[in-house]
Amino acid sequence: MCDMFPYPSGDLHMGHAEAYAIGDVIARYWVLKGFNVLHPIGWDAFGLPAENAAIKNNVDPGTWTYANIEQQKASMRNYACSFDWDRVLYTCDPTYYRWNQWFFLEMFKRGLAYRKYSAVNWCTQCQTVLANEQVVAGLCERCDSQVTKKKLAQWYLRITDYADRLLEDMDQLEGKWPEKVLLMQRNWIGRSQGAHVQFVIEGREEPVSVYTTRPDTLFGATFFVVAADSDLAAELASGTPAEAEFNAYLDKVKASSEMDRLESGREKTGVFLERYAINPVNGEKIPVYAADYVLADYGTGAIMAVPAHDQRDLDFARAFKLPVTVVVDSDEDPRETGIATTDNGVLVNSGPLDGLTKAEAIPRMIEVLEERGTGSAATNYRLRDWLISRQRYWGTPIPIIHCEKCGEVAVPEDQLPVELPSTEGLDLSPKGVSPLATAHDWVNVACSNCGGPALRDTDTMDTFVDSSWYFLRYADSQNSEAAFDPKKVAEWLPVDQYVGGVTHAILHLLYARFWVKVAHDMGLVDFVEPFTRLLNQGMVLKDGSAMSKSRGNLVRLTEELEINGVDAIRLSMVFAGPPEDDIDWAEVSPSGSKKFLARAWRLAGDVTSEVGADPTQGDQQLRKATHKAIRDGELNVESLRFNVLVARVMELVNATRKAIDTGCGPADPAVREAVETVAIMLSVVCPYTAEEMWMLLGHEPTVARAAWPTVDPSLLVEDSVTCVVQIAGKIRDKLQVSPDISQAELEALAMASTEIIDALTGQEIRMVVVRAPKLVNIVLK
RNA sequence: GUCCCCGUAGUCCAAUCGGCAGAGACACCCGGCUUAAACCCGGCACAGUGUGGGUUCAAAUCCCACCGGGGACACCA
């Protein structure tokens, strides 16, 4: 049972309260069921908030981080989280991050980590590069600032090599992860099938390849578009009469923000480059444009435009008065409607493809292209390689030395960890270059290969590296010889139940899945998916919106605990609704929880029978209620419906209260059985109250180690059940029948009922539906 | 714009396979306890399942459309 580990920014808030209450219920339940449960915790301790706080308050980021961790740790202990405190890890500790470096070098050796000079996402506020996954709608995921493009040499991890496996292994997660998360991951990877098609450009030696999912429409390609910000566009424009116009356009494109670019309904713009491409299937000369609606970093950065059957191409064709050729038959004519047709018609005006459907035409066209050597089938992905370099201080140093002679040299394993230099004398403020670059004593080293003068890589790793494998480290968190002992990981992992917010649906979960697959290929783990089951708990809202410092609607856990107590808060969180739903704090009633806890606790004091009293001698009705509660409790915990679990315990408390006051009385052994059951079931949610009850009942501590009660199946069988007798769907009579009554017996019984006989007088029966033992429906003509 | 999820008492939420709409709680109201109140104990009451169709002996549950709320993606060729 693993909770997503926290980031140590300030004290815990109500969001943590919900997540950890849920995780703790699961962990405590399985302990009571007799399982050996690993319920670890650690801190995701590297990252920008610490660094920014350090700059602002002029303290060491480590000092700030560890102070916050201590505060959170104290709150967690108070909150009664059953964490294994011997296995705690902090990702900012060299004993942890040295294994980030080790993994990185292993990947470097395998060609999975590489350095590349290219246009990258640059956050103007954080002054660092960002991974694709960290750019949300053109803004920095962390600070919501504008993201621009910048050309830099950066380190990447080859996650695209794993795209197919990341998709295909999702089959294992079907039904165990939220459907929504699986869908988001699929969309993010964005695999599509199509073809590469080679177009000769007049006056250029090399043909240019385009990617298309609709090679069948190649006869309808009437123009050609290259991404304005691609190298190809600049090259094609250079030396043409259009060069000046192109440069002006490019400047405009660069100046427009990512936000503008994403705006929907935006008019298509572009520049004719005064050059022509040759359509490989019909030899037609088609004009080449540069435009910003084609993305430089998807596919090949160039497209064949088929305006009749692609809306974007059609919009562009209409704006630039370009011809539109229909090659898929349809009732509507895109030239008139302005709407591109994408339905499954029959191919026309397409030479050898005429008369074929889309499904037939695509493979046929690929054959034609392959015969002529001008194209081939292709798979394309939206997923890009994971850029992990960051130009900030508070992260894992990249263990590479740059030597003039030897190039990129891995730091030898016996020199790991490459520790961060002291912040003393360093200026951490964001300035576009890693602060590590100014730690001269640290940067200048002898090349470990040739001994010559060399420089350390001054970037640090994305903190998502830290969280991509921490759950593996829990199995062996003190290991100083290796990231972990594979045998220990095999013993505990994969994580049976992972709990955390849906905000990590893509980033963290995708990276962790990738990392585990790499570890699998390295022979370190014997599984390919890190988290067997995933629960995304909802958010805790205040007055309809997410709690945040800026809104000023933050509810601090510490204060709530002082007012209401730990158990009441845990209970309120769990009882407020299904765990995946958002909770509005305004609708939560800790006082109601307190009332219930007091009510449950009072039961323990009322029991007068001795410890060990034989319940089989007790009141059968109460025993049935008890065992039904146990059974339902199991079902509800195991299907993660903790709110219903609580309702069942409340039900049992009510039944017991009644039994004591007006039923069998407090001395009945069934009362003891019921109250002990309440204590044990309640202990997963409210451990303090349950412990008090356990002691009042005369038991030795601790209820957390008591066994979950065993259900007596004979007590689950009802003596009789109510059968509803309907005529034409309306209830006319109710019968008390044995639960194992036969269909025929029940029908006979129903037909013999005086009410039914009366109601059927003068009626003709068409059919009788019998569902023993619950229902009989008599249908009339 | 496309896709996905959700609409059940005043409120939060339950309801194995389609089979008596109500488990639990909040709030309200009424009794009991109390000099009185709080606490506590007990009880009453409250919806026919967003709307309109369809399938079925039978629909909160399955299908279609619409309305309302939430979310994801958004020039991915």
Side-chain angles (χ1 to χ4, degrees):
Chain A
M1 164 58 226
C2 186
D3 299 276
M4 288 185 190
F5 63 169
Y7 191 86
S9 56
D11 200 2
L12 303 180
H13 52 75
M14 299 318 287
H16 294 113
E18 189 193 4
Y20 297 133
I22 287 169
D24 209 43
V25 168
I26 298 169
R28 286 175 180 273
Y29 171 76
W30 289 106
V31 168
L32 289 171
K33 289 289 278 185
F35 285 77
N36 191 10
V37 177
L38 176 51
H39 187 206
I41 191 70
W43 273 267
D44 188 13
F46 267 140
L48 278 181
E51 191 161 341
N52 292 339
I55 294 163
K56 197 172 153 197
N57 308 319
N58 198 26
V59 294
D60 182 81
T63 311
W64 183 89
T65 300
Y66 281 105
N68 281 332
I69 288 173
E70 285 314 310
Q71 190 183 22
Q72 293 193 347
K73 203 185 272 184
S75 294
M76 286 172 177
R77 282 184 177 275
N78 185 21
Y79 198 52
C81 299
S82 61
F83 292 133
D84 183 338
W85 294 103
D86 295 336
R87 294 172 186 264
V88 171
L89 59 83
Y90 315 99
T91 59
C92 64
D93 191 301
T95 61
Y96 181 84
Y97 71 69
R98 84 171 273 179
W99 303 111
N100 281 345
Q101 294 172 338
W102 178 80
F103 265 117
F104 175 87
L105 292 176
E106 288 295 313
M107 291 194 201
F108 181 59
K109 274 188 228 161
R110 289 170 165 75
L112 289 172
Y114 67 96
R115 197 157 176 260
K116 173 176 83 172
Y117 181 79
S118 72
V120 297
N121 299 303
W122 181 262
C123 173
T124 47
Q125 172 74 34
C126 303
Q127 291 278 300
T128 182
V129 301
L130 300 172
N132 262 346
E133 289 78 3
Q134 290 162 336
V135 182
V136 179
L139 299 179
C140 171
E141 176 237 0
R142 192 162 280 292
C143 70
D144 280 345
S145 308
Q146 199 61 232
V147 173
T148 59
K149 293 278 178 184
K150 194 165 177 170
K151 288 219 159 184
L152 286 172
Q154 298 284 287
W155 286 98
Y156 292 82
L157 299 185
R158 224 177 273 282
I159 191 170
T160 52
D161 274 12
Y162 287 76
D164 284 324
R165 287 166 65 186
L166 285 166
L167 274 176
E168 279 147 26
D169 291 345
M170 261 185 254
D171 291 350
Q172 297 181 22
L173 308 176
E174 212 67 59
K176 298 174 182 169
W177 278 35
E179 199 48 51
K180 191 170 124 183
V181 174
L182 294 177
L183 184 70
M184 283 166 75
Q185 296 233 341
R186 281 198 185 94
N187 288 343
W188 187 263
I189 296 164
R191 180 165 69 184
S192 72
Q193 306 288 347
H196 279 132
V197 183
Q198 315 282 336
F199 280 74
V200 169
I201 309 272
E202 284 188 341
R204 188 179 196 267
E205 203 131 316
E206 281 288 306
V208 173
S209 180
V210 302
Y211 174 74
T212 176
T213 54
R214 295 293 305 275
D216 55 314
T217 62
L218 185 46
F219 281 90
T222 54
F223 58 102
F224 192 96
V225 189
V226 295
D229 54 345
S230 65
D231 295 341
L232 179 63
E235 182 216 304
L236 292 178
S238 129
T240 70
E243 189 171 358
E245 198 192 340
F246 168 77
N247 286 334
Y249 178 67
L250 183 59
D251 287 344
K252 223 166 70 191
V253 169
K254 279 185 172 165
S256 73
S257 68
E258 195 86 351
M259 282 301 277
D260 299 338
R261 223 179 57 75
L262 290 172
E263 213 174 285
S264 58
R266 196 160 159 267
E267 276 187 24
K268 293 281 181 289
T269 58
V271 174
F272 175 43
L273 295 181
E274 307 277 348
R275 301 191 63 155
Y276 293 88
I278 309 299
N279 187 328
V281 286
N282 58 13
E284 234 170 71
K285 246 173 80 166
I286 58 176
V288 177
Y289 284 78
D292 68 351
Y293 85 94
V294 173
L295 307 175
D297 56 0
Y298 181 79
T300 62
I303 61 154
M304 63 178 216
V306 184
H309 309 297
D310 182 289
Q311 191 59 47
R312 295 153 299 176
D313 295 344
L314 183 57
D315 293 343
F316 191 86
R318 285 163 80 92
F320 286 80
K321 311 233 173 336
L322 292 162
V324 176
T325 305
V326 174
V327 292
V328 181
D329 196 31
S330 171
D331 298 339
E332 303 288 328
D333 187 343
R335 282 167 292 203
E336 285 156 21
T337 59
I339 297 162
T341 57
T342 53
D343 42 321
N344 293 314
V346 170
L347 275 285
V348 292
N349 302 324
S350 295
L353 304 183
D354 282 352
L356 299 182
T357 64
K358 174 175 153 185
E360 296 161 343
I362 291 175
R364 179 75 195 107
M365 178 56 93
I366 290 170
E367 277 173 28
V368 169
L369 291 169
E370 277 172 351
E371 278 163 23
R372 300 184 183 189
T374 53
S376 57
T379 304
N380 203 46
Y381 301 89
R382 210 183 93 113
L383 182 71
R384 304 297 141 70
D385 277 340
W386 174 15
L387 198 176
I388 59 158
S389 310
R390 294 293 179 274
Q391 287 69 50
R392 297 297 297 258
Y393 172 81
W394 194 230
T396 306
I398 292 175
I400 291 286
I401 292 166
H402 298 279
C403 169
E404 271 180 41
K405 267 194 246 161
C406 314
E408 293 156 2
V409 178
V411 171
E413 205 179 317
D414 60 13
Q415 287 175 31
L416 296 183
V418 177
E419 290 199 36
L420 281 169
S422 155
T423 52
E424 224 156 295
L426 286 189
D427 174 14
L428 298 186
S429 63
K431 50 197 173 299
V433 178
S434 170
L436 296 181
T438 57
H440 300 291
D441 294 347
W442 183 87
V443 170
N444 290 290
V445 286
C447 170
S448 47
N449 200 23
C450 69
L455 300 170
R456 287 193 189 282
D457 199 295
T458 57
D459 288 347
T460 53
M461 295 182 200
D462 182 3
T463 56
F464 279 101
V465 168
D466 308 335
S467 53
S468 290
W469 68 281
Y470 74 104
F471 42 90
L472 302 174
R473 178 76 177 170
Y474 281 140
D476 195 13
S477 67
Q478 307 304 314
N479 195 330
S480 57
E481 304 301 316
F484 49 81
D485 176 350
K487 279 196 238 94
K488 291 187 177 172
V489 165
E491 196 182 321
W492 288 110
L493 279 280
V495 175
D496 292 302
Q497 179 69 60
Y498 199 37
V499 176
V502 74
T503 44
H504 297 102
I506 296 177
L507 288 156
H508 162 56
L509 292 171
L510 189 71
Y511 295 147
R513 295 182 59 223
F514 159 67
W515 207 278
V516 161
K517 289 174 205 304
V518 173
H520 176 264
D521 294 352
M522 288 165 67
L524 296 174
V525 303
D526 56 3
F527 47 89
V528 294
E529 285 294 335
F531 313 116
T532 306
R533 278 182 296 272
L534 172 68
L535 171 63
N536 284 138
Q537 91 279 358
M539 287 190 303
V540 182
L541 310 176
K542 177 76 186 292
D543 306 323
S545 53
M547 286 187 190
S548 73
K549 264 185 193 164
S550 55
R551 278 201 188 81
N553 62 353
L554 219 59
V555 176
R556 287 170 52 95
L557 178 58
T558 314
E559 286 167 23
E560 288 300 322
L561 294 182
E562 273 166 24
I563 299 166
N564 297 294
V566 171
D567 282 355
I569 294 300
R570 288 176 54 123
L571 180 65
S572 301
M573 284 297 173
V574 166
F575 186 52
E580 59 276 10
D581 285 9
D582 289 347
I583 297 173
D584 198 318
W585 186 244
E587 283 159 3
V588 171
S589 167
S591 63
S593 298
K594 275 202 273 194
K595 202 165 122 181
F596 164 71
L597 289 171
R599 188 172 154 84
W601 175 81
R602 278 196 306 272
L603 291 179
D606 289 349
V607 173
T608 55
S609 55
E610 293 302 311
V611 174
D614 181 8
T616 59
Q617 304 305 308
D619 182 79
Q620 285 298 294
Q621 208 187 328
L622 182 58
R623 293 207 73 207
K624 283 191 170 180
T626 302
H627 284 258
K628 186 175 182 307
I630 299 166
R631 181 83 207 110
D632 282 0
E634 288 170 349
L635 293 174
N636 284 308
V637 175
E638 290 175 29
S639 57
L640 311 178
R641 292 176 303 185
F642 312 113
N643 53 326
V644 186
L645 161 77
V646 172
R648 293 290 171 266
V649 179
M650 288 174 167
E651 218 173 338
L652 181 56
V653 167
N654 291 343
T656 312
R657 179 80 267 152
K658 205 168 230 170
I660 293 172
D661 291 349
T662 59
C664 58
D668 192 293
V671 168
R672 166 166 285 276
E673 184 189 34
V675 179
E676 288 181 350
T677 299
V678 168
I680 294 168
M681 289 178 72
L682 191 61
S683 75
V684 300
V685 184
C686 303
Y688 291 111
T689 306
E691 198 61 53
E692 290 290 328
M693 290 177 71
W694 200 240
M695 284 164 69
L696 278 173
L697 287 163
H699 289 288
E700 291 300 313
T702 160
V703 69
R705 299 246 176 254
W708 184 268
T710 307
V711 178
D712 180 346
S714 68
L715 289 167
L716 296 177
V717 181
E718 296 292 334
D719 298 330
S720 71
V721 293
T722 307
C723 173
V724 177
V725 185
Q726 301 173 325
I727 295 177
K730 280 185 186 146
I731 299 161
R732 289 303 169 90
D733 197 12
K734 291 184 180 183
L735 307 169
Q736 284 302 313
V737 299
S738 155
D740 45 12
I741 192 166
S742 74
Q743 302 278 42
E745 267 181 282
L746 182 61
E747 181 173 347
L749 206 58
M751 299 312 283
S753 149
T754 49
E755 266 101 300
I756 298 302
I757 291 167
D758 288 352
L760 286 176
T761 312
Q763 304 283 351
E764 231 179 312
I765 297 171
R766 190 167 72 160
M767 65 185 289
V768 180
V769 179
V770 184
R771 290 287 177 275
K774 292 179 75 179
L775 176 123
V776 176
N777 189 13
I778 301 161
V779 188
L780 304 175
K781 280 200 174 159

